[in-house]
Amino acid sequence: MAFMPPLWQQCCLSARKGDNGLVERGSVTPDDTSRSSRDPLPGANLGALRGHNDALVLGLLRAAGPAGLGRADLAARTGLTPQAVSKITARLRAEGFVADAGRGASTGGKPRTLLRLAADARYAVGVHADRDELHAVRVDLAGTVADRLRTPLDFAAGPDAVAAAVARAVHRLAGPAGAQALAGVGIAAPGPLDWRTGVMGRVTGHPQWEGHPLRQAVADRLRPGDGVGDGVGNGGSGPPVVLDKDTNAGAAASGPDSGTSLYLHLGTGLGAGIRLGGEVHRGRRSAAGEFGHQVLLLDGPPCRCGGRGCAEVLCLAAVARGDLPEAARILGEGAANAVALLDADRVWLGGRVVQQAPEVFTAGVRRALKARAFGGPTPEVATARAGVAEGAAELALAPLFGRTA
C-alpha cells in the first residue's frame, strides 16, 4: 500500500503547490467526487486534490463552530457529492479531526448527525519576534489560545541568537502533547523580508539581518532530536515553519474579512498589514505595508530608514515625549492617506503602544479619517481582535484549511 502522509501534512504540502488554486468545485478527486465527470484529469495530483477537498471541509467546520454542520450542508457548500463528503468526513474522523456535534432538527425522517471540528486534535505555535521582546502562543485548531509566554529578546544579538530563542519558545510551549500534535509554527518578525523564501531583508536599524534564512534556521532547530521534531511533518524533518512580517500576522489575526482592511501596528516601529478581498496582500516583492516610511513632513527629522519626515519617526518621537494624542493624530493622517488610496472598509489598530491607550488612538485615528472622508462614509476603526503572535499561529494553521492567510 502506498504511504499517505498525515492529513495536515497533505494540506500543507498541497497548499504550497503553484496549481493548487486551480482546483475548482466539481474537479475530479480521488474520492470520486465530481458531479460533472468521472474520468481523472490528465496529470492530476490525486494526493493534492484529496488534501484540497479535506481542507475545504475542515474550513467549513471551523467556521461553523461548536454547532457544526451536517453532511448535506457540507456537500451543498463544497459542490462535492454526498458520497464523497461521507468518505472525507469518515477519514477526518479516523484521523481525529472531526467529532459529533449532536443531532440536527428532524424534518420528518431520522435526525441528521452534525459534525464539528475537533479543535484539540492538533495545535500550532505562533511567535512574535519583536526587536526587544519575544511573545509566543500555543493555539488549538479553532485559534483559541491554550498557553503563552513572554521573554526579553535582543534583535541586535543577531540571527543565530534569535533563531535559538524562537526554537526554545516552541519547545516550552509544545508541552506534553509533543510534536505529534504540532501542525505548524508561525514566526512574525520585523520587515522587510521575503515570506516565500523565508529570508530576512535589511531590517530597519539591524542591517546585519539582510539575507539571513530565518525560517530555515528555526526549522533546523526543530528537527528530530532537537526537542520538538520527532519525524512528523515535511517528510519526517520536523513541523512546517512559516515566516512573515509582523504586520501581516497582525492582519491575519483580525479574523474573516471579505472586504479591504488595514492593520496598523505601533510598537517599536510602525507598519501596516493589508487585506484585499479578505486575503493578506504582500505584493510581488513582499514589500507591501511599509506604512511607517511614507513621508508626512518634507525635510523633517531623519528616520532610521535613511529618509526624513517619515510617519514612523514622527509618531515614535511623540510617543517618547509622552504625547499620545499627537502620536494618534500622526497615525491618523497616515491612515487617511492609505484609506484614500485603497478605499478601505475598516482600520484595525494594534501594537504595545496602542494597547497602552486604545481609546486615545481609536479616537485620534477616527477623527483624522472623518476629516478627510471627502463626504463619503468613515471606515470603521477599532483595536485589533488579537495580537501578532496569535496571527502568526493563524498563518501556520492556514494551509490546513486551504488558505495562505
Side-chain angles (χ1 to χ4, degrees):
M1 179 181 293
F3 171 72
M4 177 62 70
L7 166 69
W8 63 267
Q9 185 181 345
Q10 296 176 44
C11 296
C12 289
L13 293 175
S14 66
R16 295 172 187 161
K17 294 184 178 295
D19 61 351
N20 188 52
L22 299 180
V23 180
E24 303 288 347
R25 288 187 179 185
S27 297
V28 178
T29 75
D31 296 306
D32 194 23
T33 60
S34 174
R35 287 177 172 165
S36 59
S37 171
R38 301 213 178 261
D39 298 322
L41 294 173
N45 185 328
L46 299 186
L49 290 174
R50 170 174 285 187
H52 173 78
N53 289 333
D54 288 356
L56 284 178
V57 170
L58 284 175
L60 288 170
L61 292 178
R62 189 192 201 211
L69 291 170
R71 291 178 179 82
D73 299 317
L74 291 169
R77 298 186 191 192
T78 60
L80 303 174
T81 65
Q83 294 85 350
V85 168
S86 292
K87 289 182 180 180
I88 291 170
T89 54
R91 182 166 62 247
L92 293 175
R93 184 194 294 274
E95 296 193 7
F97 286 93
V98 169
D100 287 346
R103 298 279 186 175
S106 174
T107 57
K110 180 181 178 182
R112 61 196 175 112
T113 299
L114 300 177
L115 303 173
R116 63 173 176 83
L117 177 70
D120 58 354
R122 300 288 189 278
Y123 65 91
V125 172
V127 181
H128 181 195
D130 206 349
R131 289 178 171 85
D132 60 354
E133 181 185 61
L134 184 148
H135 178 208
V137 297
R138 184 176 83 237
V139 306
D140 63 19
L141 294 183
T144 302
V145 176
D147 197 4
R148 69 173 71 238
L149 66 85
R150 292 181 184 271
T151 184
L153 182 70
D154 183 7
F155 215 71
D160 288 341
V162 171
V166 171
R168 284 196 299 270
V170 176
H171 290 192
R172 288 176 59 185
L173 287 176
Q180 290 290 348
L182 183 58
V185 174
I187 309 166
L193 57 82
D194 189 331
W195 73 282
R196 294 181 181 86
T197 63
V199 174
M200 300 293 292
R202 191 178 180 86
V203 179
T204 305
H206 303 285
Q208 73 272 27
W209 276 88
E210 186 173 12
H212 182 75
L214 179 60
R215 183 180 68 195
Q216 189 61 53
V218 173
D220 288 345
R221 287 168 169 79
L222 301 180
R223 292 181 185 279
D226 286 341
V228 173
D230 60 0
V232 299
N234 291 346
S237 61
V241 178
V242 298
L243 171 70
D244 212 330
K245 292 199 296 186
D246 48 11
T247 50
N248 290 338
S254 62
D257 185 351
S258 60
T260 299
S261 63
L262 294 170
Y263 167 77
L264 305 182
H265 185 91
L266 179 57
T268 57
L270 174 60
I274 304 169
R275 293 183 77 160
L276 302 177
E279 297 291 331
V280 175
H281 176 71
R282 299 173 174 88
R284 291 189 62 182
R285 294 177 294 278
S286 300
E290 290 298 326
F291 174 91
H293 299 296
Q294 58 174 304
V295 175
L296 295 184
L297 180 62
L298 294 176
D299 302 319
C303 179
R304 56 187 173 180
C305 73
R308 301 184 70 88
C310 295
E312 180 177 285
V313 68
L314 299 174
C315 202
L316 291 181
V319 172
R321 297 193 304 270
D323 191 350
L324 296 187
E326 175 64 7
R329 187 178 76 88
I330 295 167
L331 183 62
E333 291 299 323
N337 290 339
V339 166
L341 182 66
L342 298 173
D343 192 21
D345 305 307
R346 56 189 56 83
V347 176
W348 302 104
L349 306 179
R352 70 178 74 170
V353 176
V354 171
Q355 291 168 0
Q356 293 174 11
E359 297 84 2
V360 172
F361 282 95
T362 53
V365 172
R366 190 179 294 116
R367 189 178 304 116
L369 293 181
K370 185 176 181 180
R372 293 177 54 187
F374 305 111
T378 302
E380 174 189 354
V381 180
T383 53
R385 297 170 180 169
V388 169
E390 289 88 339
E394 187 66 24
L395 292 174
L397 287 175
L400 187 65
F401 302 105
R403 298 180 286 105
T404 55

